[in-house]
Amino acid sequence: MATQKMLKFVTVGKEMPEKRDASSRAQDFHEIYREYADRKAAEQSSRCSQCGVPYCQSHCPLHNNIPDWLKLTAEGRLQEAYELSQATNTFPEICGRICPQDRLCEGNCVIEQSGHGTVTIGSVEKYITDTAWEEGWVKPIRPHRERPESVGIIGAGPGGLAAADMLRRQGVQVTVYDRYDRAGGLMTYGIPGFKLEKDVVERRNAQLAEGGVTFVLNCSVGEDITFDAIRGQHDAVLIATGVYKARDIEAPGVGARGIVKAVDYLTASNRKGFGDEVAAFDSGELDASGKRVVVIGGGDTAMDCVRTAIRQGALSVKCLYRRDRANMPGSQREVANAEEEGVEFVWLSAPKGFTGGVDVDGVMVQRMRLGAPDATGRQSPEIIEGADYLEPADLVVQALGFEPEALPTLWGVPELKVTRWGTIKADFRTHETSLPGVYAAGDIVRGASLVVWAIRDGREAAEAILGYLNQTGAVAAE
Ligand SMILES: Cc1cc2nc3c(=O)[nH]c(=O)nc-3n(C[C@H](O)[C@H](O)[C@H](O)COP(=O)(O)OP(=O)(O)OC[C@H]3O[C@@H](n4cnc5c(N)ncnc54)[C@H](O)[C@@H]3O)c2cc1C
Ligand code: SF4
């Protein structure tokens, strides 16, 4: 029987190349994939026990009505599932792909907690909205009536775009300013394409542009236009600029060539994915191919760097982190993925310095152990004296996290209040800042966080802005 199957396969394989072109083979692949995805989504959705205590929903920052859209999917009522899912989430197919579900919805699924493996909520969410795009259920933005008020949004990341979407649907005139040449923020230039395909982000950008959102790209507020000018041009302003100031390592030799910042490394890789010319990549500076790569950091950005380096054909990839596996900030799922792909994690280790001359050729590594808990209850890493060793490296990527830029200084608005960490002070529900009519959302308020939180903030800020416009419009009309 096995031989017959094999023979049949060989015969079919022989006939195929002459008769079928690449597009029909791609079509076949697409159909097989669809069938598989349909089956998987139905299987997973029907695993939901409709437990009545939807911890998954309460642990989703958007409080998505997960049990109900799982039920509709299990019953094959996909369009209704889509309608329900998009009612609370502006970009469900994006969250389905890149939320750390193990820390949010799926980590709190009662089936997971009873030891039977979570319902794969994220992949069902992705499946529902991908299907909606394919079937034409995702409708263009067409407001019932146009409103005269305009809102300026600074930053085209998920926070800014979620707000733009909500405001535009209500007929508000929306202009989004961004210093990059493409919209999407870190969804476009930070998160690698193997986690979030760029056409998925681009079709959302296109949907917003087609729905009447004006994008002013390559426009850095504070350089190409002043913040005051933006305030003068709009009835309300939303600041959603994210956090981009990389935390640097302070150690001897850190200025050597070959020691780079995570954001530069990932942006270059994403730009190459778009087919852009990137001088620093083409010269080899930001290309890991054939190199011994060391990534320093234990968060999700570090995980993206190690997995990108593997894909670029690095000779070896090691990740140094000063605490242990249990105490790292990044997702355990991402660590497992990276390990499967060949990344070596060197726990309890930190850089003491870098060797080489003009070009780095190694990292002097200090071994650490976990000591007494600090004020937050987290065990502090301590140096083990005399245990240093040299780790050879041709490319070192610093992935120690990000801080906000000093916006009040850069933009010349000292009245814009910030916290002691430099994030913008904003009301946690309305997102209004210390400046009337100016709101803030996403990482610039929370510090480095997640796409799903930025979406939530953007949606909430849009609602508050609508309230403000209604109020000030009514006052102006009196
Ligand atoms: C490498 C990496 C991987 C990540 N992976 C994940 C993940 O898998 N899942 C997840 O949920 N989250 C992930 N995150 C976090 C997530 O991307 C952010 O929390 C989210 O994008 C924040 O959204 P935002 O809208 O606040 O800011 P951003 O996405 O940072 O967008 C801000 C935008 O503002 C623009 N801007 C900044 N200053 C100015 C200015 N002066 N003038 C004009 N424009 C300006 C920027 O160009 C940018 O486009 C990752 C982050 C990084 C760095
Ligand atoms: S938005 Fe994120 S946390 Fe919420 S259901 Fe989707 S994947 Fe889970």
Side-chain angles (χ1 to χ4, degrees):
M1 191 63 183
T3 323
Q4 272 178 17
K5 263 192 186 162
M6 177 77 89
L7 281 174
K8 192 173 168 211
F9 177 70
V10 171
T11 316
V12 172
K14 267 191 185 157
E15 285 169 7
M16 277 169 67
E18 294 86 37
K19 295 203 169 163
R20 315 197 59 249
D21 61 11
S23 81
S24 58
R25 281 202 301 275
Q27 179 65 22
D28 266 2
F29 175 78
H30 180 75
E31 276 165 22
I32 293 166
Y33 171 76
R34 271 301 318 179
E35 210 179 287
Y36 174 78
D38 291 348
R39 192 156 35 81
K40 273 310 239 194
E43 248 171 52
Q44 281 297 319
S45 309
S46 51
R47 288 185 63 232
C48 174
S49 64
Q50 300 290 316
C51 58
V53 280
Y55 293 126
C56 56
Q57 184 169 0
S58 54
H59 284 82
C60 163
L62 294 163
H63 300 308
N64 284 341
N65 191 342
I66 301 163
D68 284 359
W69 49 250
L70 286 176
K71 186 163 188 285
L72 289 166
T73 307
E75 291 168 1
R77 295 158 65 187
L78 275 185
Q79 189 164 0
E80 290 165 80
Y82 161 69
E83 294 297 344
L84 193 59
S85 146
Q86 62 85 48
T88 49
N89 191 351
T90 316
F91 307 127
E93 73 284 24
I94 294 179
C95 292
R97 282 170 167 85
I98 50 121
C99 269
Q101 287 99 4
D102 52 342
R103 305 201 297 251
L104 301 170
C105 53
E106 293 180 12
N108 291 281
C109 166
V110 291
I111 300 182
E112 167 78 1
Q113 285 166 358
S114 64
H116 293 91
T118 178
V119 174
T120 56
I121 297 165
S123 33
V124 178
E125 189 178 29
K126 160 184 178 294
Y127 165 81
I128 294 169
T129 310
D130 281 350
T131 306
W133 276 101
E134 226 167 83
E135 297 292 330
W137 303 332
V138 181
K139 295 282 175 261
I141 301 168
R142 295 277 177 269
H144 291 307
R145 70 176 175 105
E146 290 294 340
R147 293 178 59 139
E149 303 97 333
S150 86
V151 173
I153 296 179
I154 310 173
L161 295 185
D165 179 87
M166 295 270 289
L167 290 165
R168 190 60 206 124
R169 284 177 197 277
Q170 297 304 315
V172 174
Q173 310 309 311
V174 179
T175 304
V176 180
Y177 301 84
D178 202 289
R179 63 183 168 199
Y180 284 146
D181 55 345
R182 292 183 176 92
L186 288 170
M187 300 189 297
T188 295
Y189 284 133
I191 302 173
F194 59 83
K195 275 170 62 183
L196 176 58
E197 307 92 302
K198 299 305 158 184
D199 55 338
V200 170
V201 181
E202 290 209 302
R203 79 183 164 193
R204 283 294 181 183
N205 295 340
Q207 184 199 27
L208 288 166
E210 280 156 21
V213 172
T214 304
F215 284 96
V216 182
L217 300 175
N218 292 311
C219 175
S220 177
V221 175
E223 286 177 37
D224 302 312
I225 183 170
T226 64
F227 177 68
D228 279 346
I230 290 192
R231 273 189 96 187
Q233 282 170 27
H234 301 283
D235 299 291
V237 172
L238 175 68
I239 304 172
T241 48
V243 290
Y244 283 86
K245 203 170 102 195
R247 284 193 199 117
D248 285 327
I249 293 171
E250 285 173 22
V254 77
R257 208 160 47 194
I259 303 175
V260 302
K261 293 184 197 320
V263 74
D264 296 338
Y265 175 66
L266 292 171
T267 304
S269 172
N270 277 316
R271 281 197 178 282
K272 288 309 289 182
F274 279 111
D276 294 354
E277 269 186 29
V278 184
F281 183 93
D282 300 333
S283 69
E285 193 191 338
L286 293 175
D287 182 359
S289 169
K291 293 183 180 166
R292 296 163 301 177
V293 178
V294 171
V295 175
I296 300 170
D300 288 333
T301 302
M303 299 309 109
D304 288 344
C305 292
V306 291
R307 298 185 69 197
T308 300
I310 290 276
R311 281 162 179 76
Q312 288 177 350
L315 206 59
S316 64
V317 183
K318 295 192 179 178
C319 182
L320 303 189
Y321 180 56
R322 65 196 178 127
R323 290 190 166 89
D324 60 4
R325 185 183 198 121
N327 285 288
M328 68 175 294
S331 153
Q332 293 295 331
R333 198 181 276 184
E334 283 292 292
V335 179
N337 288 337
E339 277 178 332
E340 231 169 71
E341 291 167 7
V343 174
E344 188 186 323
F345 285 85
V346 189
W347 307 111
L348 293 163
S349 54
K352 184 179 186 179
F354 300 92
T355 57
V358 176
D359 295 302
V360 70
D361 68 8
V363 184
M364 187 55 73
V365 181
Q366 277 174 329
R367 302 295 293 169
M368 318 288 286
R369 66 173 156 248
L370 291 180
D374 62 16
T376 64
R378 231 169 146 211
Q379 279 183 287
S380 312
E382 292 169 355
I383 297 166
I384 303 175
E385 296 298 342
D388 302 353
Y389 70 96
L390 184 69
E391 181 66 56
D394 313 302
L395 177 65
V396 177
V397 185
Q398 307 179 67
L400 299 184
F402 301 96
E403 286 167 2
E405 290 155 299
L407 293 186
T409 313
L410 288 174
W411 291 356
V413 269
E415 322 83 82
L416 180 65
K417 291 215 171 102
V418 293
T419 65
R420 65 191 160 108
W421 299 280
T423 48
I424 293 181
K425 264 191 187 170
D427 183 279
F428 80 99
R429 253 176 339 104
T430 66
H431 305 269
E432 192 166 14
T433 68
S434 53
L435 303 176
V438 177
Y439 296 74
D443 282 6
I444 191 60
V445 177
R446 294 179 177 273
S449 178
L450 293 173
V451 165
V452 65
W453 283 111
I455 294 173
R456 172 170 161 170
D457 288 355
R459 291 172 68 95
E460 283 180 354
E463 268 190 31
I465 291 171
L466 280 168
Y468 172 81
L469 294 178
N470 289 340
Q471 217 180 18
T472 48
V475 172
E478 273 170 13

CSV table of all heavy atoms in Angstrom, one decimal, residues 27-54:
chain,number,residue,atom,x,y,z
A,27,GLN,N,-1.8,28.4,-6.2
A,27,GLN,CA,-3.2,28.3,-5.9
A,27,GLN,C,-3.5,27.0,-5.2
A,27,GLN,O,-4.2,27.0,-4.2
A,27,GLN,CB,-3.9,28.3,-7.3
A,27,GLN,CG,-5.5,28.2,-7.2
A,27,GLN,CD,-6.1,29.4,-6.4
A,27,GLN,OE1,-5.4,30.5,-6.4
A,27,GLN,NE2,-7.2,29.2,-5.8
A,28,ASP,N,-2.9,25.9,-5.7
A,28,ASP,CA,-3.0,24.6,-5.0
A,28,ASP,C,-2.6,24.6,-3.6
A,28,ASP,O,-3.2,24.2,-2.7
A,28,ASP,CB,-2.1,23.5,-5.7
A,28,ASP,CG,-2.9,22.8,-6.8
A,28,ASP,OD1,-4.0,23.2,-7.0
A,28,ASP,OD2,-2.3,21.9,-7.4
A,29,PHE,N,-1.4,25.3,-3.4
A,29,PHE,CA,-0.8,25.3,-2.1
A,29,PHE,C,-1.8,26.1,-1.2
A,29,PHE,O,-2.0,25.8,-0.1
A,29,PHE,CB,0.6,26.0,-2.1
A,29,PHE,CG,1.1,26.3,-0.7
A,29,PHE,CD1,1.7,25.2,0.0
A,29,PHE,CD2,1.0,27.5,-0.1
A,29,PHE,CE1,2.2,25.4,1.3
A,29,PHE,CE2,1.5,27.7,1.2
A,29,PHE,CZ,2.1,26.7,1.8
A,30,HIS,N,-2.3,27.2,-1.8
A,30,HIS,CA,-3.2,28.1,-1.0
A,30,HIS,C,-4.4,27.3,-0.6
A,30,HIS,O,-4.8,27.4,0.6
A,30,HIS,CB,-3.6,29.3,-1.9
A,30,HIS,CG,-4.5,30.2,-1.2
A,30,HIS,ND1,-4.1,31.1,-0.2
A,30,HIS,CD2,-5.8,30.4,-1.3
A,30,HIS,CE1,-5.1,31.8,0.2
A,30,HIS,NE2,-6.2,31.4,-0.4
A,31,GLU,N,-4.9,26.5,-1.5
A,31,GLU,CA,-6.1,25.7,-1.2
A,31,GLU,C,-5.9,24.7,-0.1
A,31,GLU,O,-6.7,24.5,0.9
A,31,GLU,CB,-6.7,25.1,-2.4
A,31,GLU,CG,-7.6,26.1,-3.2
A,31,GLU,CD,-7.9,25.6,-4.6
A,31,GLU,OE1,-7.8,24.4,-4.9
A,31,GLU,OE2,-8.3,26.5,-5.4
A,32,ILE,N,-4.7,24.0,-0.2
A,32,ILE,CA,-4.4,23.0,0.8
A,32,ILE,C,-4.2,23.7,2.2
A,32,ILE,O,-4.7,23.3,3.2
A,32,ILE,CB,-3.0,22.3,0.4
A,32,ILE,CG1,-3.3,21.5,-0.8
A,32,ILE,CG2,-2.5,21.4,1.6
A,32,ILE,CD1,-2.0,20.9,-1.5
A,33,TYR,N,-3.5,24.9,2.1
A,33,TYR,CA,-3.3,25.6,3.4
A,33,TYR,C,-4.6,26.1,4.0
A,33,TYR,O,-4.9,25.9,5.2
A,33,TYR,CB,-2.4,26.9,3.1
A,33,TYR,CG,-2.3,27.8,4.3
A,33,TYR,CD1,-1.6,27.4,5.4
A,33,TYR,CD2,-3.1,28.9,4.4
A,33,TYR,CE1,-1.6,28.2,6.6
A,33,TYR,CE2,-3.1,29.7,5.5
A,33,TYR,CZ,-2.3,29.3,6.6
A,33,TYR,OH,-2.3,30.1,7.7
A,34,ARG,N,-5.5,26.5,3.1
A,34,ARG,CA,-6.9,27.0,3.6
A,34,ARG,C,-7.6,25.9,4.3
A,34,ARG,O,-8.2,26.0,5.3
A,34,ARG,CB,-7.7,27.5,2.4
A,34,ARG,CG,-7.7,28.9,1.9
A,34,ARG,CD,-8.0,29.9,2.8
A,34,ARG,NE,-9.1,29.8,3.7
A,34,ARG,CZ,-9.4,30.7,4.6
A,34,ARG,NH1,-8.7,31.8,4.6
A,34,ARG,NH2,-10.4,30.6,5.4
A,35,GLU,N,-7.6,24.7,3.6
A,35,GLU,CA,-8.3,23.6,4.1
A,35,GLU,C,-7.8,23.2,5.5
A,35,GLU,O,-8.5,23.0,6.5
A,35,GLU,CB,-8.1,22.4,3.2
A,35,GLU,CG,-9.2,21.4,3.2
A,35,GLU,CD,-8.9,20.3,2.2
A,35,GLU,OE1,-8.9,20.5,1.0
A,35,GLU,OE2,-8.6,19.2,2.7
A,36,TYR,N,-6.4,23.3,5.6
A,36,TYR,CA,-5.8,23.0,6.9
A,36,TYR,C,-6.2,24.0,7.9
A,36,TYR,O,-6.6,23.7,9.1
A,36,TYR,CB,-4.3,22.9,6.7
A,36,TYR,CG,-3.5,22.8,8.0
A,36,TYR,CD1,-3.4,21.5,8.6
A,36,TYR,CD2,-2.9,23.9,8.6
A,36,TYR,CE1,-2.7,21.4,9.7
A,36,TYR,CE2,-2.2,23.7,9.7
A,36,TYR,CZ,-2.1,22.5,10.3
A,36,TYR,OH,-1.4,22.3,11.5
A,37,ALA,N,-6.1,25.3,7.5
A,37,ALA,CA,-6.4,26.4,8.5
A,37,ALA,C,-7.9,26.3,8.9
A,37,ALA,O,-8.2,26.5,10.1
A,37,ALA,CB,-6.1,27.7,7.8
A,38,ASP,N,-8.8,26.0,8.0
A,38,ASP,CA,-10.2,25.9,8.3
A,38,ASP,C,-10.4,24.8,9.3
A,38,ASP,O,-11.1,25.0,10.3
A,38,ASP,CB,-11.0,25.5,7.0
A,38,ASP,CG,-11.1,26.6,6.0
A,38,ASP,OD1,-10.7,27.7,6.3
A,38,ASP,OD2,-11.5,26.3,4.9
A,39,ARG,N,-9.8,23.6,9.1
A,39,ARG,CA,-9.9,22.5,10.0
A,39,ARG,C,-9.4,22.8,11.4
A,39,ARG,O,-10.0,22.6,12.4
A,39,ARG,CB,-9.2,21.3,9.4
A,39,ARG,CG,-9.5,20.0,10.1
A,39,ARG,CD,-9.3,18.8,9.2
A,39,ARG,NE,-8.2,18.9,8.3
A,39,ARG,CZ,-6.9,18.6,8.6
A,39,ARG,NH1,-6.6,18.3,9.8
A,39,ARG,NH2,-6.0,18.7,7.7
A,40,LYS,N,-8.2,23.4,11.4
A,40,LYS,CA,-7.5,23.8,12.7
A,40,LYS,C,-8.4,24.7,13.5
A,40,LYS,O,-8.6,24.6,14.7
A,40,LYS,CB,-6.2,24.4,12.4
A,40,LYS,CG,-5.0,23.5,12.2
A,40,LYS,CD,-4.9,22.5,13.3
A,40,LYS,CE,-3.8,22.4,14.1
A,40,LYS,NZ,-3.8,21.1,14.9
A,41,ALA,N,-8.9,25.8,12.8
A,41,ALA,CA,-9.7,26.8,13.5
A,41,ALA,C,-10.9,26.2,14.1
A,41,ALA,O,-11.3,26.4,15.2
A,41,ALA,CB,-10.0,27.9,12.5
A,42,ALA,N,-11.6,25.3,13.3
A,42,ALA,CA,-12.8,24.7,13.8
A,42,ALA,C,-12.5,23.8,15.0
A,42,ALA,O,-13.2,23.8,16.0
A,42,ALA,CB,-13.5,23.9,12.6
A,43,GLU,N,-11.4,23.0,14.8
A,43,GLU,CA,-11.0,22.1,15.9
A,43,GLU,C,-10.7,22.9,17.2
A,43,GLU,O,-11.2,22.5,18.3
A,43,GLU,CB,-9.6,21.5,15.5
A,43,GLU,CG,-9.7,20.0,15.2
A,43,GLU,CD,-8.3,19.6,14.6
A,43,GLU,OE1,-7.2,20.0,15.2
A,43,GLU,OE2,-8.3,19.0,13.6
A,44,GLN,N,-9.9,23.9,17.1
A,44,GLN,CA,-9.5,24.7,18.3
A,44,GLN,C,-10.7,25.4,18.9
A,44,GLN,O,-10.9,25.4,20.1
A,44,GLN,CB,-8.4,25.7,17.9
A,44,GLN,CG,-7.1,25.1,17.8
A,44,GLN,CD,-6.6,24.5,19.1
A,44,GLN,OE1,-6.7,25.1,20.1
A,44,GLN,NE2,-6.0,23.3,19.0
A,45,SER,N,-11.6,26.0,18.0
A,45,SER,CA,-12.7,26.7,18.6
A,45,SER,C,-13.6,25.8,19.3
A,45,SER,O,-14.2,26.2,20.4
A,45,SER,CB,-13.5,27.4,17.4
A,45,SER,OG,-12.6,28.1,16.6
A,46,SER,N,-13.8,24.6,18.8
A,46,SER,CA,-14.7,23.7,19.5
A,46,SER,C,-14.1,23.1,20.8
A,46,SER,O,-14.8,22.5,21.6
A,46,SER,CB,-15.2,22.6,18.6
A,46,SER,OG,-14.1,22.0,18.0
A,47,ARG,N,-12.8,23.3,21.0
A,47,ARG,CA,-12.2,22.9,22.3
A,47,ARG,C,-12.6,23.9,23.4
A,47,ARG,O,-12.5,23.5,24.6
A,47,ARG,CB,-10.7,22.9,22.2
A,47,ARG,CG,-10.2,21.7,21.3
A,47,ARG,CD,-8.7,21.7,21.4
A,47,ARG,NE,-8.2,21.4,22.7
A,47,ARG,CZ,-7.3,22.2,23.3
A,47,ARG,NH1,-6.8,23.2,22.7
A,47,ARG,NH2,-6.9,21.9,24.5
A,48,CYS,N,-13.1,25.1,23.1
A,48,CYS,CA,-13.5,26.0,24.2
A,48,CYS,C,-14.6,25.4,24.9
A,48,CYS,O,-15.7,25.0,24.3
A,48,CYS,CB,-13.8,27.4,23.6
A,48,CYS,SG,-14.5,28.5,24.8
A,49,SER,N,-14.5,25.3,26.3
A,49,SER,CA,-15.6,24.7,27.1
A,49,SER,C,-16.7,25.6,27.4
A,49,SER,O,-17.6,25.3,28.1
A,49,SER,CB,-14.9,24.1,28.3
A,49,SER,OG,-14.5,25.2,29.1
A,50,GLN,N,-16.6,26.9,26.9
A,50,GLN,CA,-17.6,27.9,27.3
A,50,GLN,C,-17.7,27.9,28.8
A,50,GLN,O,-18.8,27.8,29.4
A,50,GLN,CB,-18.9,27.7,26.6
A,50,GLN,CG,-18.8,27.7,25.1
A,50,GLN,CD,-18.5,29.1,24.5
A,50,GLN,OE1,-19.2,30.0,24.9
A,50,GLN,NE2,-17.6,29.2,23.6
A,51,CYS,N,-16.6,28.0,29.5
A,51,CYS,CA,-16.5,27.8,30.9
A,51,CYS,C,-17.3,28.7,31.8
A,51,CYS,O,-17.6,28.4,33.0
A,51,CYS,CB,-15.1,27.8,31.4
A,51,CYS,SG,-14.3,29.4,31.0
A,52,GLY,N,-17.7,29.8,31.3
A,52,GLY,CA,-18.5,30.8,32.1
A,52,GLY,C,-17.7,31.7,33.0
A,52,GLY,O,-18.3,32.6,33.6
A,53,VAL,N,-16.4,31.4,33.1
A,53,VAL,CA,-15.5,32.3,33.8
A,53,VAL,C,-14.4,32.8,32.8
A,53,VAL,O,-13.3,32.3,32.9
A,53,VAL,CB,-14.9,31.7,35.1
A,53,VAL,CG1,-15.9,31.7,36.2
A,53,VAL,CG2,-14.4,30.3,34.8
A,54,PRO,N,-14.8,33.6,31.9
A,54,PRO,CA,-13.8,33.8,30.8
A,54,PRO,C,-12.6,34.7,31.2
A,54,PRO,O,-12.5,35.9,31.0
A,54,PRO,CB,-14.6,34.6,29.7
A,54,PRO,CG,-15.8,35.2,30.5
A,54,PRO,CD,-16.0,34.4,31.7
